[in-house]
Amino acid sequence: MHWVFYSTVSWIIITYYITTMKKNEIIKGIIIYLVSIVLISFLAGIIVTNMKLITVTHDKIKYLDLLLKRVIVTPFLLLSLVSKYNELGTYLKKAALAVLLLILFLIIEYIDIKMQLYTYIKWNILFSILLNSFYIFTALVINKYFYVIEKWGEHR
Amino acid sequence: MNHYYYLFSGNVLYTLVLLSFYIFVFFLPKRFPPAITLIFILFGIAVGRFWDQVLGTPSIDFYDVHKSGKLDLLDIILYIAYGPPSYFMIYFFDKFKLKKQHLIFYITTWSLISVGFELLGDKLQVFNYKNGYQLIYSFPIYLVTFSILFILYYKLNKLKGEG
């Protein structure tokens, strides 16, 4: 059941992003994607193996679902956020979108706990809010300052 | 532990030597815009960490990086050091204007070089294989990874052509 859920959700998210992305944002999207999966995997490693705040499942299929979340679901949701964020006119709408995504991340995390993909040891929802806010913040910072990388190339 | 001994231990030197390849990234003549260079470097880091998550997970646990199962600073530096090799791979392919017909030979050669580096890492206890994992199993993983890198390269080239 969890495998069906995660593979379906992954397909929906990827298909949604690919069908709505703009061609001129592909390169920025790739950078956001790669930075996201590096950050997510490093922080997951620190939280799980070093600080032991969360234990992850030892079941191979459930761990695959967790990998799908780290490599597909979370990064592509961030990409979709950035894509929609740039279209919105007012900062209120942009803030509302970021909050909506944060709530979506928390809902997914709740489902993960129910499906026993991982277990909180010394972790709580506040830490999840902080962590997911950090991911959203990073994606939005790259979105905002991507032009710096592009301009750097032009001036050299 | 004596800090000087630690700094010159094999696994630390291996990591620092790999990291020093960033010097070449900065000083080689530029062939790509900075954003594209960043993509190729990030690809190396992301894929290195991805495979370690897949193969080093507790349920599979084929190896540990730097002896401990934890993610310490030296591990993070090692992952960051994976960036330049993937960049160089694309750089030299582009520089010498190699064609698609050369890809099989080129990717195979780089995969063999990567296995060689990994063998050196094994001898220096950077990688510690467990539960039956053998170095040669990494070879097809490199083939697949580098193939994806070249798919990315050709897609970005196509975008550049359309832009």
Side-chain angles (χ1 to χ4, degrees), chain A residues 129-141:
Chain A
I129 291 172
L130 289 172
L131 184 64
N132 288 304
S133 300
F134 175 67
Y135 296 148
I136 292 171
F137 176 75
T138 305
L140 292 177
V141 164

Side-chain angles (χ1 to χ4, degrees), chain A residues 139-151:
Chain A
L140 292 177
V141 164
I142 296 171
N143 174 54
K144 185 167 172 60
Y145 293 106
F146 177 70
Y147 75 92
V148 172
I149 301 171
E150 287 182 311
K151 289 263 184 288

Side-chain angles (χ1 to χ4, degrees), chain B residues 94-110:
Chain B
D94 194 79
K95 177 177 171 59
F96 296 122
K97 296 184 177 19
L98 297 177
K99 304 272 184 283
K100 282 182 185 175
Q101 299 89 301
H102 304 123
L103 261 180
I104 291 179
F105 174 75
Y106 191 75
I107 290 176
T108 306
T109 305
W110 271 91

Side-chain angles (χ1 to χ4, degrees), chain A residues 37-104:
Chain A
I37 59 175
V38 168
L39 268 181
I40 290 166
S41 68
F42 279 165
L43 288 172
I46 290 168
I47 290 166
V48 173
T49 56
N50 290 21
M51 299 171 82
K52 297 194 193 320
L53 300 176
I54 294 176
T55 56
V56 298
T57 179
H58 282 238
D59 180 284
K60 291 180 176 55
I61 304 295
K62 287 184 179 178
Y63 190 77
L64 195 55
D65 295 336
L66 204 50
L67 274 182
L68 275 180
K69 181 187 170 180
R70 289 178 188 170
V71 174
I72 302 222
V73 174
T74 305
F76 273 92
L77 280 175
L78 289 171
L79 286 175
S80 301
L81 163 78
V82 164
S83 184
K84 280 282 165 233
Y85 187 89
N86 293 332
E87 290 172 11
L88 295 175
T90 65
Y91 280 114
L92 184 63
K93 286 181 185 171
K94 290 176 194 275
L97 181 65
V99 169
L100 266 173
L101 181 62
L102 182 60
I103 292 171
L104 182 57

Side-chain angles (χ1 to χ4, degrees), chain B residues 9 11 39 66 68 71 74 83 85 88 101-104 107-108 121-122 128 157-158:
Chain B
S9 60
N11 58 341
I39 285 174
H66 289 129
S68 79
L71 184 69
L74 198 60
F88 293 147
Q101 299 89 301
H102 304 123
L103 261 180
I104 291 179
I107 290 176
T108 306
D122 179 33
N128 297 280
N157 256 352
K158 196 178 170 193

Side-chain angles (χ1 to χ4, degrees), chain B residues 9-10 17-18 20 26 32 40 45-47 51-52 62 67 86 93 99 119-120 128 145:
Chain B
S9 60
V17 164
L18 263 186
S20 67
F26 286 114
F32 311 108
F40 293 137
I45 299 169
V47 163
W51 281 118
D52 284 352
F62 278 147
K67 292 183 190 174
S86 71
F93 187 85
K99 304 272 184 283
L119 174 63
L120 180 62
N128 297 280
T145 302

